[in-house]
Amino acid sequence: MRKEAVFFTVMAVLLFAATVTGLHRGEGGGSWSDTVSALFLSGDNKDLEYFIYYLRLPRITAAVFTGMSLAVCGVILQNVLNNPLASSFTLGLSQGAAFGAAFSIIVLGAGSTQFTGSGVVLGNPGYVAAGAFAGSLAASAVILLFSFVRGMTPQGLILAGVAVSSFFGACTMLLQYFSTDSQLAAAVFWTFGDLGKGGWTEALTMAGVCLAGTLFVLRYSWDYNSVAWGESYAAGLGVEVRKVRVYSLVVTAVMAAFATAFYGVIGFIGLLAPHMVRLVFRQAGHGFLIPAAGLLGGVLLLSADIAAQAVLYPTALPVGVITSFAGVPVFLGLLLRRSIKNA
């Protein structure tokens, strides 16, 4: 327990440090003293107060709870699918969301664009988010239907996810081929994982979905521990493995769908956070692993977003670029490690 307490303490310190850094850096500039004064509404810089309360704080909130959601999804999917490479990103939910957004922009005309000095501004972001949400749920529904097929193995569901990813990717490319230049720019812009897309409404909605989903899966932490030892072992202990798998797929699909609909495609957080925790706590149960990975996921995504804003300051890179650069080596390393283990 001492080791777990140290971990949560370190994560809390890192989260506090990243939050303070995120409040100071970003649009609007300002010194540390200006930031503190604006945060407590005690200064004369009303512009900086606006930047902090309507741009920086929503972005920080979004980063923490989106990272938590993606990390928790990764923990659960890797357990119920018995595959360390499973996540909402590798199962095709992100590609489904990208297709839904492209469909809203190109076919339904929901993405009328304006070109500004800072990039592309979507005319109807709410409709685009709704389309992305529908596309993500559609992808998850396909995976869920395959889970009901008799004899379908967890490895089979991973392959189904690969097929779903390829299908929605092809559909998205087909739409983009027939789009206008402005529609293409809007569709491509949306696929960039960017935490600056939403405001307080999206951030607080994401927080509610994240907390509700995390509390739900924590109820099944003992079942997940049993499933980790094998489906036959879990069934012998009275665990309804299929029921747990279906519930888990539904909850993780909703959590990932909200995250992707609001903030675009952010990959590999669902892989990085769970495996980083497992490297330190090899025998950890899911009662600890779920909140630990979630907290680490929030810290990772917030740190990545701060790095994305700092690399080419004052230009802010999409955070999805940073997480992909960090996640690809880990993904390839897991594949190599798994191959060596099975050789």
Side-chain angles (χ1 to χ4, degrees):
M1 293 300 295
R2 182 180 301 175
K3 194 175 181 180
E4 285 82 352
V6 170
F7 174 85
F8 281 119
T9 301
V10 171
M11 286 298 102
V13 171
L14 291 177
L15 182 60
F16 176 78
T19 300
V20 171
T21 304
L23 284 172
H24 177 64
R25 297 191 65 90
E27 294 185 68
S31 64
W32 279 104
S33 60
D34 292 336
T35 299
V36 173
S37 298
L39 181 62
F40 291 99
L41 304 176
S42 60
D44 298 326
N45 194 338
K46 300 301 179 183
D47 290 337
L48 185 56
E49 291 177 5
Y50 174 85
F51 282 123
I52 288 177
Y53 280 96
Y54 292 97
L55 294 178
R56 298 182 190 175
L57 272 176
R59 190 177 186 121
I60 291 169
T61 305
V64 171
F65 288 104
T66 301
M68 287 180 65
S69 294
L70 296 175
V72 170
C73 288
V75 170
I76 303 306
L77 291 173
Q78 288 159 24
N79 176 268
V80 298
L81 299 181
N82 191 29
N83 193 308
L85 303 179
S87 70
S88 58
F89 184 72
T90 57
L91 283 178
L93 272 66
S94 298
Q95 291 77 7
F99 169 73
F103 188 86
S104 296
I105 292 169
I106 297 171
V107 178
L108 302 181
S112 58
T113 57
Q114 299 174 4
F115 295 89
T116 67
S118 58
V120 183
V121 177
L122 293 175
N124 299 289
Y127 292 115
V128 178
F133 184 78
S136 185
L137 286 184
S140 64
V142 175
I143 303 299
L144 189 61
L145 288 175
F146 269 90
S147 71
F148 286 105
V149 175
R150 186 180 298 275
M152 177 62 64
T153 64
Q155 290 74 20
L157 289 178
I158 292 292
L159 293 177
V162 173
V164 169
S165 298
S166 299
F167 174 76
F168 279 115
C171 291
T172 302
M173 287 188 288
L174 183 63
L175 288 177
Q176 291 175 348
Y177 182 80
F178 292 103
S179 66
T180 64
D181 290 343
S182 61
Q183 290 173 335
L184 179 61
V188 172
F189 168 78
W190 184 90
T191 60
F192 296 153
D194 186 359
L195 295 168
K197 291 179 179 178
W200 275 118
T201 300
E202 291 79 7
L204 293 178
T205 301
M206 193 69 246
V209 171
C210 173
L211 294 175
T214 301
L215 289 174
F216 182 88
V217 296
L218 275 172
R219 293 176 53 196
Y220 293 92
S221 58
W222 186 87
D223 293 342
Y224 295 134
N225 293 339
S226 303
V227 171
W229 290 96
E231 292 188 20
S232 299
Y233 178 83
L237 293 176
V239 177
E240 299 180 65
V241 178
R242 182 179 289 268
K243 177 182 174 182
V244 171
R245 182 180 295 164
V246 170
Y247 284 175
S248 300
L249 287 174
V250 171
V251 172
T252 54
V254 171
M255 293 172 69
F258 270 97
T260 311
F262 287 157
Y263 302 110
V265 179
I266 301 175
F268 295 108
I269 292 294
L271 284 175
L272 284 172
H275 286 291
M276 288 176 70
V277 174
R278 289 192 182 100
L279 284 175
V280 181
F281 303 93
R282 296 185 180 276
Q283 304 299 326
H286 283 75
F288 168 78
L289 185 58
I290 291 171
L295 186 56
L296 179 57
V299 171
L300 287 175
L301 188 55
L302 179 55
S303 301
D305 190 50
I306 293 171
Q309 296 178 66
V311 170
L312 296 177
Y313 185 81
T315 300
L317 289 175
V319 69
V321 174
I322 303 297
T323 59
S324 293
F325 273 124
V328 167
V330 176
F331 185 82
L332 294 176
L334 289 172
L335 281 175
L336 182 61
R337 180 181 178 184
R338 191 174 179 86
S339 299
I340 294 175
K341 183 178 179 180
N342 295 332

